[in-house]
Amino acid sequence: MQPIFARPMSLSFDNTEIAFRHRNNKELKRAHFLFNSMSSAFLTKVGIGLTQFAFKFGLPVKGIIKNTIFEQFCGGETLEEAAKTASVLAPYNVSVALDYGVEGKTSEADFDHAVPEFIKAINYAASQPNIPFIPIKVTGFADFSLLEKIHAGKTLSGEEQKAWVRVQVRIDQICAAAAQKHLMILIDAEESWIQQPVDDLANIMMARYNKQYTAVFNTFQLYRHDRLEYLKESFRLAQKDGFILGAKLVRGAYMEKERARAEAMNYPNPIQPDKETCDKDYDDAVAFCLQHLDQIGLFVGTHNETSCLKAVDIMNERQIPHNHPRVWLAQLYGMSDNITFNLADAKFHVAKYLPYGPVKDVIPYLMRRAQENTSVAGQTGRELSLIKKEMRRRGL
Ligand SMILES: Cc1cc2nc3c(=O)[nH]c(=O)nc-3n(C[C@H](O)[C@H](O)[C@H](O)COP(=O)(O)OP(=O)(O)OC[C@H]3O[C@@H](n4cnc5c(N)ncnc54)[C@H](O)[C@@H]3O)c2cc1C
């Protein structure tokens, strides 16, 4: 691969023509309507409440959800539909993390059933040049309360021990299938009170499959005050055991839940004292990984423009080619296209998390996106102003 180094001019995320060139006018207007609605905290709260109520009582809302928030943030209901969406991104050098986004399953049968579903996605991804990643959530393969018990260090019953072995086998089957096809598995981070077994599994899989390339990534949530140190500790472990550390860096999506639980159960809040500290740890984590690219595969998952620009600056300073095979910058599908597409235009390796699955099963994911776009200061305003700018440019 021909290395591509820094451009003399600085990178900007304001070019809306580049940002939205994959969106037709109808899609742009839909995005405008959606982000406008979500900018109202009241409307979002009511919308989330009504959606959860409607699905619980079987009211016919699937059509409305599918044509609005689902279309914006999801690739489709099936692998075939998601594949079509992924192919729309390919001409712009935007890669895809094909995310079977079904959540909230609880039975062993569901966990077993998830494995072939993921293997199908892996096989499809392997046939496509722009789908190098498959994200997984361990809670898609394991009972939440089992993970909670392991995290808390409680003794497992015989049945629970067997269930835990089954979880490890499921995750191993997926990582093995991906490694065989030279794909990359991203193990998502979830609630802090189940993270220990998730980290343990990730470390086992990385030690097994990351000898030649970064086949498996663990996720580090820098909104936790202990994770920058844990990233460094993980790196030491990887060095000691001779494997490449896969580091997917995010700020974290469960902040309110984390705070509420810590308060209710009277233990210290695992979240950083403020946003500035979270931002600092995030950027320090990116810098740390970029310093050790010979032994770390880095996946920068963020919609924060400053963090992306800082990563780009460090790459430029250190003469790291934009298209370095171990550096990826990624955003969620339907959000921050200005970052993704402008980075892609400057030849960085970029990816979109593209969730798919039946509408009712991706509702928790969609509700997180709605909440995030309301409660996170600035994000909706930024999306809206960019969409408006592009609509004006197109004369809409
Ligand atoms: C590709 C990709 C993959 C992702 N995968 C995961 C995953 O596996 N697990 C997961 O949990 N999340 C994941 N996320 C979501 C992510 O954690 C964030 O919720 C989201 O991206 C918003 O953070 P940001 O970095 O974009 O930046 P910003 O919009 O700048 O930051 C918002 C975030 O900062 C943090 N924050 C806000 N206020 C405070 C405060 N007062 N104190 C401390 N921290 C604060 C919160 O994490 C909040 O979400 C992913 C995001 C992307 C783009």
Side-chain angles (χ1 to χ4, degrees):
M1 192 184 294
Q2 188 73 6
I4 295 157
F5 290 101
R7 288 174 158 193
M9 63 200 172
S10 67
L11 181 76
S12 155
F13 295 138
D14 293 334
N15 187 325
T16 59
E17 185 177 357
I18 292 176
F20 296 111
R21 57 188 176 193
H22 63 300
R23 293 285 192 203
N24 63 31
N25 292 350
K26 191 174 154 222
E27 289 167 337
L28 206 60
K29 284 182 187 165
R30 190 197 57 220
H32 178 259
F33 167 76
L34 203 67
F35 281 104
N36 211 8
S37 312
M38 286 190 303
S39 67
S40 156
F42 174 73
L43 273 184
T44 307
K45 209 169 170 190
V46 171
I48 290 175
L50 280 179
T51 306
Q52 283 164 343
F53 177 85
F55 272 98
K56 196 165 168 194
F57 293 99
L59 302 180
V61 288
K62 186 184 150 183
I64 302 175
I65 302 286
K66 185 155 186 191
N67 290 319
T68 53
I69 189 166
F70 181 90
E71 283 279 330
Q72 178 67 24
F73 294 117
C74 291
E77 287 206 78
T78 60
L79 177 60
E80 289 70 27
E81 285 177 14
K84 249 191 227 162
T85 310
S87 70
V88 172
L89 304 177
Y92 308 103
N93 289 324
V94 173
S95 292
V96 164
L98 193 56
D99 184 12
Y100 182 57
V102 170
E103 292 184 30
K105 298 290 178 192
T106 50
S107 75
E108 286 292 304
D110 284 333
F111 302 145
D112 282 339
H113 174 72
V115 176
E117 196 61 50
F118 275 85
I119 305 274
K120 199 170 120 192
I122 287 169
N123 289 334
Y124 177 73
S127 71
Q128 300 299 306
N130 81 320
I131 314 185
F133 295 106
I134 302 285
I136 62 170
K137 280 192 168 44
V138 173
T139 48
F141 303 92
D143 188 53
F144 194 95
S145 59
L146 175 69
L147 298 173
E148 208 173 352
K149 210 166 167 182
I150 299 170
H151 178 93
K154 292 189 180 150
T155 309
L156 300 185
S157 68
E159 273 313 305
E160 286 168 336
Q161 278 174 20
K162 282 188 202 151
W164 178 227
V165 172
R166 285 197 297 274
V167 175
Q168 297 180 42
V169 170
R170 290 179 193 122
I171 302 288
D172 184 63
Q173 283 172 335
I174 286 169
C175 292
Q180 209 193 13
K181 307 269 185 187
H182 213 78
L183 293 175
M184 293 175 272
I185 295 289
L186 302 160
I187 301 184
D188 286 358
E190 301 177 66
E191 290 85 347
S192 64
W193 55 98
I194 59 163
Q195 193 59 37
Q196 187 61 55
V198 175
D199 288 338
D200 293 345
L201 266 174
N203 288 331
I204 294 169
M205 296 303 144
M206 287 192 289
R208 200 168 287 166
Y209 296 106
N210 286 11
K211 301 279 183 204
Q212 311 296 333
Y213 78 105
T214 331
V216 181
F217 288 69
N218 195 11
T219 300
F220 300 83
Q221 294 163 313
L222 279 307
Y223 70 178
R224 283 182 57 176
H225 57 68
D226 61 347
R227 290 293 99 170
L228 180 57
E229 195 38 54
Y230 180 64
L231 171 71
K232 293 177 181 172
E233 193 185 313
S234 301
F235 179 58
R236 285 192 287 273
L237 175 79
Q239 280 186 306
K240 182 169 81 61
D241 290 354
F243 64 87
I244 303 161
L245 176 68
K248 176 186 146 197
L249 306 180
V250 300
R251 280 182 170 76
Y254 306 88
M255 186 171 71
E256 276 140 37
K257 218 170 160 186
E258 291 283 352
R259 280 201 178 129
R261 186 175 190 266
E263 246 170 58
M265 296 175 68
N266 201 22
Y267 62 83
N269 185 358
I271 304 299
Q272 305 269 17
D274 48 48
K275 175 79 162 60
E276 290 67 39
T277 321
C278 170
D279 290 346
K280 182 176 182 315
D281 273 14
Y282 191 88
D283 296 334
D284 286 354
V286 172
F288 177 81
C289 293
L290 287 172
Q291 270 162 32
H292 297 285
L293 275 188
D294 50 332
Q295 283 153 305
I296 296 183
L298 172 62
F299 187 97
V300 182
T302 183
H303 300 132
N304 184 302
E305 293 184 12
T306 310
S307 290
C308 292
L309 287 174
K310 282 186 178 169
V312 166
D313 284 347
I314 298 172
M315 288 177 74
N316 289 343
E317 271 160 37
R318 300 183 73 87
Q319 290 277 296
I320 298 168
H322 290 189
N323 58 348
H324 190 289
R326 290 222 181 121
V327 184
W328 288 84
L329 293 112
Q331 290 74 45
L332 305 178
Y333 182 73
M335 286 174 74
S336 298
D337 286 343
N338 64 314
I339 300 180
T340 316
F341 285 81
N342 280 296
L343 282 172
D345 193 61
K347 307 285 183 261
F348 286 91
H349 274 155
V350 295
K352 281 289 198 197
Y353 248 55
L354 185 66
Y356 69 97
V359 174
K360 69 173 177 11
D361 292 331
V362 297
I363 288 294
Y365 177 86
L366 293 177
M367 297 302 104
R368 279 205 299 284
R369 295 297 72 82
Q371 244 151 14
E372 180 175 72
N373 278 292
T374 302
S375 62
V376 179
Q379 184 59 34
T380 306
R382 179 78 175 133
E383 295 282 359
L384 252 185
S385 70
L386 290 163
I387 293 166
K388 280 183 187 159
K389 184 177 164 194
E390 179 58 8
M391 285 172 76
R392 273 197 305 276
R393 198 193 65 80
R394 292 190 195 180
L396 295 177

